[in-house]
Amino acid sequence: MDTPVYDVLLVGGGGAGLRAAIAVAEADPSLSVAVASKVYPMRSHTVAAEGGAAGVVSSEDSLDNHAYDTISGGDWMSDQDVVEYFVETAPKELTQLEHWGCPWSRTPDGKVAVRPFGGMKKERTWFAADKTGFHMLHTLFQTSLKYQSITRYDEWFVSKLLIEDGRCQGVVALEMLTGQVKPILAKAVVLCSGGAGKAFPFTTNGAIKTGDGMGQAYRAGVALKDMEFVQYHPTGLVATGILITEASRGEGGILLNKEGYRYLQDYELGTPLDPKDPNHPQKRSMELGPRDRLSQAFVGELRKGRTIDTPYGAAVHLDIRHLGEAKIDKKIPFVRELCRNYAGLDPVHEPIPVRPVVHYMMGGIHVDIDGATSIPGLYAAGEAASSNLNGANRLGSNSLTELLVFGARTGHCAAEFARGVDAPNEKALSGQVAEERARILEGFLQKEGGEFRVAELRAELHEAMESGAGIYRSEDTLQQTAKVISELRDKFTKVKVDDRSNCFNTELITLLEFENLLDVSEALAHSALQRTESRGAHQRSDHEARDDDKFLKHSLAYKTDGDPRIDYLDVVITRWPPGERVYGKPVDSSGTDAKKEDS
Ligand SMILES: Cc1cc2nc3c(=O)[nH]c(=O)nc-3n(C[C@H](O)[C@H](O)[C@H](O)COP(=O)(O)OP(=O)(O)OC[C@H]3O[C@@H](n4cnc5c(N)ncnc54)[C@H](O)[C@@H]3O)c2cc1C
């Protein structure tokens, strides 16, 4: 069969990949587009998003408000030119999605409904009940189907980027149905391969979020940026880590310790809701502080011995009982469904045991505002990329919008690039393709002997990441994590493979994913080690203060033969000079009064 060649190849069929594919198809119908995904697109993690997507809609809100919340929520690590473009484009993209058929929830008078979300001073989170990601992905998927120029490679696992003559010219992928390893060539490649929460044991992330695109770009010489910033979501179900959406707190849910005390009043949490807004339905800000602060407050309660013991570890209670059955069923029905199915309880009658859980990577492939990497022809968007929007802590509901805003922009830029370059040089690439085929088939699948099962190695990695690079880190814990990662590299050369089948060989896929997790974890641990300050989601117990003089900079981790090399890049400040992200106790203990010491 002839090698397929496209103008633009998207790796990933989630929100970012499909939005980018549509952008290319719309930009120029004569361009050929391919979407390769290791799962059927509707199974991408975007489908699991519950709470909503942020974009200014009300006349009482403003783009500057959204920008400021994003920047201060991100502890001044966001590039402000990127934020300004994002907040301005967000409402247009969300409206575009409506025109493509996304069923946004409405107010009784027919306007788009918005709900409060953590760290946002105003209500600006659009939602479709609490299945927002499902509806957004469905809308994008169905829209993509109408373009003849888009070809899909469903259940193809991309394992390597093809770089030749100083530019990216395609990928090598394993067709999971047949076990064949084949090239897919393209003038431009966009990595939309999602996050890497699976580097940690307890995560809301689907099993497929193994940082594949990040690992591939890193090995090809692109930097991984800001990897030390890992977001813990404060409310995962204790046993499984399944997410209980922030919308449950947006709608009025509260967090209680084992004494039934609303402990967040004891902590400084960050931006409270606008105290001058008398109509705000929530009139509380405690549970709507930024995620990093809420997760850190949990550790505070743990240290004070005020958490609840459960068979699955320490927890606190998320209580939504006071919202009543009717509101729960209308606004957050999925929360009730998840609690019944996965925790055996009904949140209408019982509080939900929750604890912080790894949720999102602020870091990722180093790209500029156009999604371009340092390799011509290679782009990235969505959670795989670090677009510099989210800084040191992403605000809930900014990610779904980011997929749209930067998926579209990156798609356009990749299309533009593809129009200006020659077709990939198939002949020159054949050596690399053969090498990758041999690496996978002979090096792994048909390999004899070996000592370690990949599942054992993954468990070791998980233990090292959780204990050394979790919510609080220090020089000692990070050094230990880095040491285990380096030992795991050696052990990985002695990995053994039991399953020799060609058809949907999940052991082989797990191996290929694991090498990406190792690379991502290495970059993460070393970036965290070298950032000797605390900022946003990166909290060093041995360096508790933020240090703008030294570290108001993005970290860039480059792969070398030994430990990664860490460089730094200045943060772009346009209109909002760095400020203290410290606020007074936001609310009185009754939780009914909006009195705040300051805002
Ligand atoms: C449970 C949950 C709830 C969330 N809720 C919200 C929310 O309410 N609001 C919000 O803003 N954000 C939310 N987020 C975050 C947000 O959903 C994600 O950041 C976002 O959906 C990521 O989209 P993406 O397109 O970048 O990647 P994904 O949707 O993860 O898609 C990645 C794609 O890449 C493909 N892929 C990966 N590796 C390979 C490979 N090697 N070869 C081929 N294909 C590959 C996959 O098959 C998939 O199609 C939530 C996240 C989770 C986990």
Side-chain angles (χ1 to χ4, degrees), residues 197-215:
K198 281 287 166 186
F200 290 82
F202 191 63
T203 174
T204 61
N205 285 193
I208 60 171
K209 295 191 74 172
T210 50
D212 298 350
M214 295 182 193

PDB file of all heavy atoms in Angstrom, residues 197-215:
ATOM      1  N   GLY A 197      -1.671  12.750  33.520  1.00  0.00           N
ATOM      2  CA  GLY A 197      -2.014  12.478  34.922  1.00  0.00           C
ATOM      3  C   GLY A 197      -1.649  11.076  35.360  1.00  0.00           C
ATOM      4  O   GLY A 197      -1.478  10.809  36.554  1.00  0.00           O
ATOM      5  N   LYS A 198      -1.512  10.164  34.402  1.00  0.00           N
ATOM      6  CA  LYS A 198      -1.226   8.767  34.751  1.00  0.00           C
ATOM      7  C   LYS A 198       0.210   8.560  35.243  1.00  0.00           C
ATOM      8  O   LYS A 198       0.606   7.432  35.529  1.00  0.00           O
ATOM      9  CB  LYS A 198      -1.551   7.853  33.573  1.00  0.00           C
ATOM     10  CG  LYS A 198      -3.035   7.567  33.455  1.00  0.00           C
ATOM     11  CD  LYS A 198      -3.479   6.599  34.563  1.00  0.00           C
ATOM     12  CE  LYS A 198      -4.996   6.558  34.700  1.00  0.00           C
ATOM     13  NZ  LYS A 198      -5.452   5.749  35.834  1.00  0.00           N
ATOM     14  N   ALA A 199       0.990   9.641  35.319  1.00  0.00           N
ATOM     15  CA  ALA A 199       2.290   9.526  35.979  1.00  0.00           C
ATOM     16  C   ALA A 199       2.089   9.340  37.490  1.00  0.00           C
ATOM     17  O   ALA A 199       3.011   8.962  38.197  1.00  0.00           O
ATOM     18  CB  ALA A 199       3.142  10.765  35.712  1.00  0.00           C
ATOM     19  N   PHE A 200       0.887   9.653  37.958  1.00  0.00           N
ATOM     20  CA  PHE A 200       0.578   9.549  39.384  1.00  0.00           C
ATOM     21  C   PHE A 200      -0.455   8.440  39.603  1.00  0.00           C
ATOM     22  O   PHE A 200      -1.260   8.155  38.713  1.00  0.00           O
ATOM     23  CB  PHE A 200       0.011  10.881  39.898  1.00  0.00           C
ATOM     24  CG  PHE A 200       1.036  11.983  39.951  1.00  0.00           C
ATOM     25  CD1 PHE A 200       1.361  12.713  38.819  1.00  0.00           C
ATOM     26  CD2 PHE A 200       1.683  12.292  41.139  1.00  0.00           C
ATOM     27  CE1 PHE A 200       2.306  13.726  38.855  1.00  0.00           C
ATOM     28  CE2 PHE A 200       2.626  13.302  41.197  1.00  0.00           C
ATOM     29  CZ  PHE A 200       2.944  14.021  40.062  1.00  0.00           C
ATOM     30  N   PRO A 201      -0.455   7.838  40.808  1.00  0.00           N
ATOM     31  CA  PRO A 201      -1.367   6.713  41.029  1.00  0.00           C
ATOM     32  C   PRO A 201      -2.821   7.113  41.212  1.00  0.00           C
ATOM     33  O   PRO A 201      -3.723   6.369  40.849  1.00  0.00           O
ATOM     34  CB  PRO A 201      -0.843   6.084  42.326  1.00  0.00           C
ATOM     35  CG  PRO A 201      -0.080   7.171  43.017  1.00  0.00           C
ATOM     36  CD  PRO A 201       0.448   8.069  41.944  1.00  0.00           C
ATOM     37  N   PHE A 202      -3.050   8.304  41.787  1.00  0.00           N
ATOM     38  CA  PHE A 202      -4.413   8.667  42.146  1.00  0.00           C
ATOM     39  C   PHE A 202      -4.796   9.881  41.306  1.00  0.00           C
ATOM     40  O   PHE A 202      -4.341  10.997  41.560  1.00  0.00           O
ATOM     41  CB  PHE A 202      -4.452   9.001  43.648  1.00  0.00           C
ATOM     42  CG  PHE A 202      -5.836   9.132  44.196  1.00  0.00           C
ATOM     43  CD1 PHE A 202      -6.693   8.048  44.199  1.00  0.00           C
ATOM     44  CD2 PHE A 202      -6.294  10.335  44.698  1.00  0.00           C
ATOM     45  CE1 PHE A 202      -7.980   8.152  44.706  1.00  0.00           C
ATOM     46  CE2 PHE A 202      -7.581  10.459  45.204  1.00  0.00           C
ATOM     47  CZ  PHE A 202      -8.418   9.356  45.200  1.00  0.00           C
ATOM     48  N   THR A 203      -5.583   9.653  40.278  1.00  0.00           N
ATOM     49  CA  THR A 203      -5.857  10.730  39.324  1.00  0.00           C
ATOM     50  C   THR A 203      -7.269  10.628  38.761  1.00  0.00           C
ATOM     51  O   THR A 203      -7.830   9.531  38.676  1.00  0.00           O
ATOM     52  CB  THR A 203      -4.819  10.715  38.168  1.00  0.00           C
ATOM     53  OG1 THR A 203      -5.195  11.674  37.181  1.00  0.00           O
ATOM     54  CG2 THR A 203      -4.709   9.359  37.503  1.00  0.00           C
ATOM     55  N   THR A 204      -7.795  11.782  38.374  1.00  0.00           N
ATOM     56  CA  THR A 204      -9.094  11.803  37.694  1.00  0.00           C
ATOM     57  C   THR A 204      -8.944  11.414  36.222  1.00  0.00           C
ATOM     58  O   THR A 204      -9.926  11.239  35.527  1.00  0.00           O
ATOM     59  CB  THR A 204      -9.679  13.232  37.688  1.00  0.00           C
ATOM     60  OG1 THR A 204      -8.771  14.085  36.965  1.00  0.00           O
ATOM     61  CG2 THR A 204      -9.889  13.776  39.078  1.00  0.00           C
ATOM     62  N   ASN A 205      -7.702  11.336  35.773  1.00  0.00           N
ATOM     63  CA  ASN A 205      -7.458  11.172  34.336  1.00  0.00           C
ATOM     64  C   ASN A 205      -7.772   9.762  33.849  1.00  0.00           C
ATOM     65  O   ASN A 205      -7.472   8.775  34.535  1.00  0.00           O
ATOM     66  CB  ASN A 205      -5.998  11.471  34.008  1.00  0.00           C
ATOM     67  CG  ASN A 205      -5.680  12.961  34.024  1.00  0.00           C
ATOM     68  OD1 ASN A 205      -4.624  13.373  33.557  1.00  0.00           O
ATOM     69  ND2 ASN A 205      -6.582  13.788  34.551  1.00  0.00           N
ATOM     70  N   GLY A 206      -8.313   9.680  32.654  1.00  0.00           N
ATOM     71  CA  GLY A 206      -8.557   8.393  32.029  1.00  0.00           C
ATOM     72  C   GLY A 206      -7.229   7.665  31.797  1.00  0.00           C
ATOM     73  O   GLY A 206      -6.155   8.289  31.745  1.00  0.00           O
ATOM     74  N   ALA A 207      -7.321   6.341  31.628  1.00  0.00           N
ATOM     75  CA  ALA A 207      -6.116   5.501  31.498  1.00  0.00           C
ATOM     76  C   ALA A 207      -5.254   5.908  30.308  1.00  0.00           C
ATOM     77  O   ALA A 207      -4.064   5.616  30.265  1.00  0.00           O
ATOM     78  CB  ALA A 207      -6.524   4.042  31.365  1.00  0.00           C
ATOM     79  N   ILE A 208      -5.840   6.599  29.339  1.00  0.00           N
ATOM     80  CA  ILE A 208      -5.091   6.935  28.123  1.00  0.00           C
ATOM     81  C   ILE A 208      -4.215   8.174  28.289  1.00  0.00           C
ATOM     82  O   ILE A 208      -3.445   8.510  27.395  1.00  0.00           O
ATOM     83  CB  ILE A 208      -6.028   7.149  26.910  1.00  0.00           C
ATOM     84  CG1 ILE A 208      -7.005   8.290  27.164  1.00  0.00           C
ATOM     85  CG2 ILE A 208      -6.740   5.876  26.573  1.00  0.00           C
ATOM     86  CD1 ILE A 208      -7.808   8.689  25.931  1.00  0.00           C
ATOM     87  N   LYS A 209      -4.289   8.857  29.438  1.00  0.00           N
ATOM     88  CA  LYS A 209      -3.556  10.122  29.559  1.00  0.00           C
ATOM     89  C   LYS A 209      -2.137   9.870  30.067  1.00  0.00           C
ATOM     90  O   LYS A 209      -1.824  10.028  31.240  1.00  0.00           O
ATOM     91  CB  LYS A 209      -4.315  11.092  30.461  1.00  0.00           C
ATOM     92  CG  LYS A 209      -5.648  11.473  29.820  1.00  0.00           C
ATOM     93  CD  LYS A 209      -6.325  12.611  30.507  1.00  0.00           C
ATOM     94  CE  LYS A 209      -5.658  13.921  30.226  1.00  0.00           C
ATOM     95  NZ  LYS A 209      -6.426  15.049  30.748  1.00  0.00           N
ATOM     96  N   THR A 210      -1.297   9.455  29.135  1.00  0.00           N
ATOM     97  CA  THR A 210       0.049   9.009  29.490  1.00  0.00           C
ATOM     98  C   THR A 210       1.132   9.893  28.881  1.00  0.00           C
ATOM     99  O   THR A 210       2.270   9.457  28.710  1.00  0.00           O
ATOM    100  CB  THR A 210       0.233   7.544  29.062  1.00  0.00           C
ATOM    101  OG1 THR A 210      -0.190   7.413  27.697  1.00  0.00           O
ATOM    102  CG2 THR A 210      -0.587   6.592  29.906  1.00  0.00           C
ATOM    103  N   GLY A 211       0.786  11.109  28.503  1.00  0.00           N
ATOM    104  CA  GLY A 211       1.809  12.065  28.068  1.00  0.00           C
ATOM    105  C   GLY A 211       2.565  11.622  26.815  1.00  0.00           C
ATOM    106  O   GLY A 211       3.750  11.937  26.671  1.00  0.00           O
ATOM    107  N   ASP A 212       1.882  10.928  25.897  1.00  0.00           N
ATOM    108  CA  ASP A 212       2.595  10.386  24.725  1.00  0.00           C
ATOM    109  C   ASP A 212       3.213  11.489  23.863  1.00  0.00           C
ATOM    110  O   ASP A 212       4.385  11.416  23.482  1.00  0.00           O
ATOM    111  CB  ASP A 212       1.650   9.538  23.854  1.00  0.00           C
ATOM    112  CG  ASP A 212       1.103   8.338  24.607  1.00  0.00           C
ATOM    113  OD1 ASP A 212       1.588   8.056  25.716  1.00  0.00           O
ATOM    114  OD2 ASP A 212       0.173   7.691  24.085  1.00  0.00           O
ATOM    115  N   GLY A 213       2.409  12.492  23.552  1.00  0.00           N
ATOM    116  CA  GLY A 213       2.921  13.574  22.694  1.00  0.00           C
ATOM    117  C   GLY A 213       4.049  14.322  23.385  1.00  0.00           C
ATOM    118  O   GLY A 213       5.038  14.718  22.753  1.00  0.00           O
ATOM    119  N   MET A 214       3.903  14.516  24.706  1.00  0.00           N
ATOM    120  CA  MET A 214       4.953  15.222  25.458  1.00  0.00           C
ATOM    121  C   MET A 214       6.252  14.428  25.360  1.00  0.00           C
ATOM    122  O   MET A 214       7.315  14.989  25.090  1.00  0.00           O
ATOM    123  CB  MET A 214       4.561  15.368  26.931  1.00  0.00           C
ATOM    124  CG  MET A 214       3.343  16.237  27.186  1.00  0.00           C
ATOM    125  SD  MET A 214       3.036  16.347  28.974  1.00  0.00           S
ATOM    126  CE  MET A 214       1.394  17.041  29.005  1.00  0.00           C
ATOM    127  N   GLY A 215       6.183  13.123  25.590  1.00  0.00           N
ATOM    128  CA  GLY A 215       7.377  12.279  25.545  1.00  0.00           C
ATOM    129  C   GLY A 215       8.011  12.304  24.160  1.00  0.00           C
ATOM    130  O   GLY A 215       9.241  12.425  24.020  1.00  0.00           O
TER     131      GLY A 215
END
